[in-house]
Amino acid sequence: LARLVERALSPEPAARPADADEVRAALGTILRTLKGPGATPAVGELVRARGGAAVDRGELAAIAKRFDPKRGAAPPTWKVITLTRLQTGGRSTGPRPAVANVDLGSGEVIPGTRYRILSKIGEGGMGSVYLSEHVDLEKKVALKLLRPDVARDAETLQQFRGEARAASKVGSAYICDVTDFGELSDGRVFFVMEYLDGQSLGRVLRQSTRVEAPRALPILRQVAKALGAAHEKGIVHLDVKPDNVMLLQAGKRGDAVKVVDFGIAGLMSQTGEEDEIAGTPEYIAPERARGQGYDHRSDVYALGVMAYEMLGGIVPFHGKNHVSTLTMQVKDPPLPLRRQPGGKDVPEQLADLVMRMLSKDPEARPQSMAEVEGLLCEVQIALGLTTPWDDLELPAVDEAWRQKLARRMPSAARPRKAIILGAGGVALASLAVALYFVFIRAPEVVVKEVRVELTKTEEAPAVAAALLKADQAARRERYVRPPKDSALHYIGEAEAEAQKVGRPSAGAAALRRAYASALTVIGNELVKADLRDLAVTKYKEALLFLPDDPDLQAKAELSAEERRRRVRDDKHPAPAPAPTPADEAKETAARVFVDATHGRLSEARLALKNLATLDPAGVQAARLADALRARAVAAWSAGHADDARPL
């Protein structure tokens, strides 16, 4: 009997009895042994031995009929793995590992690698984290090592590798970057990630309980950007919580976000019924708790729980154990945030958004992280708040909504300059034309927006409308192409309309100078990167706006024929010539470089895909790799590691 019990309690599923029938058969064998050969006890005898009186089958049936499964019924059953208890007071209330971890010694270089262990800095559900350094680069890194008691578990090993792949696959500035992966001689695996010198949001909440809305909004926006980038790659985090959000110092600003621990991240293609639930019960979405699968909206729910906790000082659901917490996630409505003692001062608009994210039905939640961030921006606009992070890129919502946000969002990082182009005539409604100028601040390129407002202008309405179209094309970086939908084309239209009323367009002249300046600075940056032939394409584009500029003509290295072709008269600006395949490849390569150096990595990757079609031999791609590598080395040498890594 003891051996049977030990088998049933084995930590290895394969070592346990296969099913209840096998247990019943084993118990029957034991009973026959106890009573002697050939003796098979009846059910009634077993019940009588337990209850002190004989009970026949009829009585057992009557007992079964009297049992009400609805009264005191057990909660739903889950197959639960890797569930972590919410930390309180800085100490975990979850079960301790059955096997003690074997720490790596300080000062030890891991055999077969270039990493030296400096100290142990933490321990998670699957492994330990060490502060380490690359012995050649003298660069600090964080090394995560799988726990020894699960190192032989193929499933956990695969999960651990998945964490490394998931984090490295996303490539977002808001996600902790994974740079290497390896295995020790004893079979344990590790991966190397960037060292984050900061504290977790979980630690902040354990120290101060809650954060105010002006601080919470930019943190939530950055987390939404991180998760949105993961969702675009088909990855759902599945363990969004404050302990997995690191807050760092970025220059003079605090609360720069890095999301960590993709250890249980799943692929969105795997949206069938879940056999396992992994994560922290307080942040698990109802559909996951019911075993109904998941998608990116499960992360929306978890982010809502985290926002609720940040603003109200408490999670919506926290039961006595894992199962009770999961049951509450499925069945109980959350207490409105503003009814929590710590949430009384939360602005109503923000509280309403958080409660919407906590909807039991995924369809009732915001349907993407971009929508979540857009709604957070709307809340900030409604509250009239400014934050140190108002220069964050606007969310990737639809163009109409994005333009509305751009007009209304506060942005101390965007200086405004008003240019009055005359008084009298038709008083138009304020027409905002955003001109993008670029200036260099080594070792990075910073794009600065100067806002030009054309108010009470003497421009004819048709001229103003054409200038607005030119601005919209320039915002999409359509300076000269496509020919019929470019800034150059619409400036030509504005000038033609101005000629009809007999006066030149001051707005068109201003835009010509502005766009020529922006393209020239891009060209200068390409020259510094030793990509002169790509720079020439930008100088030639700038010349289309200012064809008589002698400096641009010299930089563009124009031939005599090109000089003649680019001359324009006062009425008909010279159109952009049709590009050759070689020209298109150069222009696309320039786009890759500019987007990458300006931090627009998604756009750079898309342009790179186009470049592969235009330049199948990979000549331009190889030159870009050299240029970006050189830029990265220069940034690294100057101590700007955060600029170097994405390059």
Side-chain angles (χ1 to χ4, degrees):
L1 181 60
R3 285 196 297 272
L4 177 61
V5 172
E6 288 172 358
R7 282 185 61 205
L9 295 176
S10 172
E12 296 295 330
R16 301 174 201 149
D19 52 30
D21 286 338
E22 184 176 339
V23 176
R24 179 184 56 76
L27 288 171
T29 301
I30 294 169
L31 284 170
R32 283 194 295 273
T33 302
L34 293 175
K35 293 182 67 69
T40 303
V43 173
E45 293 179 38
L46 295 177
V47 176
R48 184 172 62 253
R50 181 67 177 169
V55 181
D56 61 19
R57 290 180 180 272
E59 290 176 294
L60 287 173
I63 292 172
K65 287 180 180 179
R66 290 198 302 271
F67 172 70
D68 181 6
K70 295 181 181 179
R71 181 168 51 87
T77 301
W78 298 269
K79 298 177 183 178
V80 181
I81 63 164
T82 324
L83 285 175
T84 343
R85 285 294 282 173
L86 184 65
Q87 291 191 354
T88 55
R91 219 169 60 178
S92 173
T93 58
R96 297 174 63 86
V99 180
N101 205 345
V102 179
D103 289 336
L104 299 176
S106 298
E108 173 186 346
V109 176
I110 299 178
T113 76
R114 309 301 294 164
Y115 301 106
R116 178 185 291 114
I117 302 299
L118 300 180
S119 63
K120 185 176 180 180
I121 56 178
E123 188 165 351
M126 294 176 61
S128 301
V129 182
Y130 296 87
L131 173 61
S132 310
E133 70 172 353
H134 193 287
V135 295
D136 294 327
L137 300 178
E138 297 183 354
K139 168 192 171 186
K140 287 184 178 180
V141 296
L143 186 145
K144 188 168 184 179
L145 177 68
L146 192 67
R147 270 194 357 234
D149 56 321
V150 294
R152 305 299 180 188
D153 186 319
E155 182 177 356
T156 308
L157 186 62
Q158 182 62 30
Q159 185 179 352
F160 190 79
R161 285 176 174 154
E163 177 175 352
R165 294 192 183 103
S168 61
K169 183 179 180 182
V170 179
S172 166
Y174 304 98
I175 291 175
C176 181
D177 192 24
V178 174
T179 58
D180 203 355
F181 186 88
E183 186 172 346
L184 302 184
S185 57
D186 60 7
R188 287 183 290 168
V189 294
F190 66 87
F191 63 82
V192 181
M193 51 192 173
E194 60 179 310
Y195 172 62
L196 304 177
D197 188 8
Q199 60 180 342
S200 71
L201 175 59
R203 183 176 180 183
V204 170
L205 293 177
R206 287 190 285 275
Q207 292 172 345
S208 57
T209 307
R210 58 188 297 267
V211 298
E212 299 295 331
R215 185 183 182 189
L217 282 168
I219 292 175
L220 291 170
R221 282 190 63 192
Q222 291 176 80
V223 175
K225 287 182 182 296
L227 297 173
H231 296 167
E232 286 181 2
K233 297 292 174 59
I235 297 170
V236 188
H237 190 287
L238 295 183
D239 199 18
V240 178
K241 60 182 178 181
D243 282 328
N244 285 338
V245 176
M246 294 295 295
L247 302 178
L248 314 176
Q249 193 72 21
K252 296 182 179 180
R253 297 187 294 185
D255 293 342
V257 165
K258 289 279 188 177
V259 177
V260 302
D261 198 355
F262 278 74
I264 61 170
L267 299 179
M268 287 202 312
S269 58
Q270 300 171 351
T271 54
E273 184 176 344
E274 285 187 303
D275 292 327
E276 301 163 341
I277 299 176
T280 308
E282 286 78 6
Y283 305 89
I284 287 177
E287 63 271 17
R288 293 190 64 215
R290 287 192 294 263
Q292 295 178 341
Y294 60 84
D295 60 18
H296 58 280
R297 295 171 297 184
S298 301
D299 279 352
V300 172
Y301 182 91
L303 183 59
V305 175
M306 193 176 82
Y308 190 105
E309 182 180 8
M310 291 171 67
L311 298 163
I314 189 172
V315 292
F317 304 115
H318 183 67
K320 295 180 179 179
N321 52 47
H322 295 329
V323 173
S324 63
T325 302
L326 292 172
T327 304
M328 295 166 73
Q329 296 282 22
V330 173
K331 298 174 61 178
D332 297 348
L335 183 69
L337 177 55
R338 286 164 58 87
R339 288 175 55 186
Q340 289 285 4
K344 294 179 180 178
D345 298 330
V346 177
E348 184 176 359
Q349 301 95 324
L350 183 54
D352 290 345
L353 172 56
V354 173
M355 298 308 296
R356 181 181 166 192
M357 295 167 70
L358 293 177
S359 299
K360 303 292 185 187
D361 181 4
E363 295 290 339
R365 302 171 201 154
Q367 297 298 291
S368 70
M369 284 297 168
E371 183 180 354
V372 169
E373 189 187 355
L375 293 172
L376 288 169
C377 291
E378 294 286 2
V379 168
Q380 182 177 342
I381 292 167
L383 299 177
L385 296 176
T386 59
T387 79
W389 290 93
D390 288 338
D391 59 341
L392 289 172
E393 185 179 355
L394 292 175
V397 293
D398 65 81
E399 186 62 26
W401 188 9
R402 186 182 172 94
Q403 288 185 7
K404 289 181 181 179
L405 291 176
R407 289 195 297 268
R408 296 178 295 146
M409 274 292 287
S411 180
R414 299 180 198 168
R416 296 190 177 189
K417 179 180 178 183
I419 300 178
I420 307 300
L421 298 179
V426 180
L428 298 178
S430 178
L431 173 61
V433 182
L435 307 179
Y436 292 90
F437 291 98
V438 186
F439 66 90
I440 310 302
R441 185 178 64 193
E444 60 181 351
V445 179
V446 179
V447 179
K448 201 165 190 176
E449 178 183 308
V450 178
R451 209 161 186 81
V452 179
E453 295 183 359
L454 311 179
T455 58
K456 296 183 179 179
T457 175
E458 292 182 353
E459 305 278 18
V463 175
L467 293 178
L468 179 58
K469 289 181 179 179
D471 165 57
Q472 292 170 340
R475 284 175 180 267
R476 299 193 299 272
E477 298 190 17
R478 295 182 174 183
Y479 288 105
V480 299
R481 292 190 180 84
K484 299 297 184 182
D485 187 25
S486 66
L488 183 66
H489 171 75
Y490 292 120
I491 288 176
E493 281 192 353
E495 291 170 333
E497 291 293 336
Q499 288 295 327
K500 292 179 181 178
V501 296
R503 58 176 179 266
S505 169
L511 293 184
R512 281 187 175 276
R513 291 191 298 271
Y515 297 152
S517 175
L519 291 166
T520 299
V521 176
I522 293 173
N524 294 343
E525 188 62 20
L526 290 165
V527 169
K528 289 182 180 180
D530 198 24
L531 296 171
R532 185 167 188 83
D533 60 327
L534 303 187
V536 168
T537 66
K538 292 301 171 185
Y539 293 142
K540 288 181 177 179
E541 288 180 5
L543 264 177
L544 293 172
F545 291 98
L546 297 178
D548 300 324
D549 188 295
D551 291 335
L552 283 177
Q553 289 177 356
K555 288 183 175 182
E557 301 176 356
L558 295 182
S559 64
E561 174 60 27
E562 286 178 317
R563 290 175 186 271
R564 286 193 296 271
R565 192 169 60 240
R566 287 176 178 271
V567 172
R568 66 181 179 92
D569 58 31
D570 292 336
K571 294 183 179 180
H572 302 290
T580 66
D583 290 335
E584 287 190 85
K586 290 179 180 179
E587 291 173 7
T588 305
R591 171 68 63 83
V592 174
F593 181 85
V594 171
D595 285 339
T597 53
H598 290 181
R600 301 190 295 267
L601 301 183
S602 296
E603 291 89 338
R605 292 189 186 99
L606 289 174
L608 194 59
K609 289 183 179 179
N610 294 334
L611 181 60
T613 303
L614 297 169
D615 181 33
V619 174
Q620 295 294 352
R623 297 179 65 234
L624 283 174
D626 291 339
L628 292 174
R629 185 182 298 109
R631 174 69 69 93
V633 170
W636 190 277
S637 301
H640 300 283
D642 289 340
D643 296 326
R645 288 192 187 96
L647 293 175

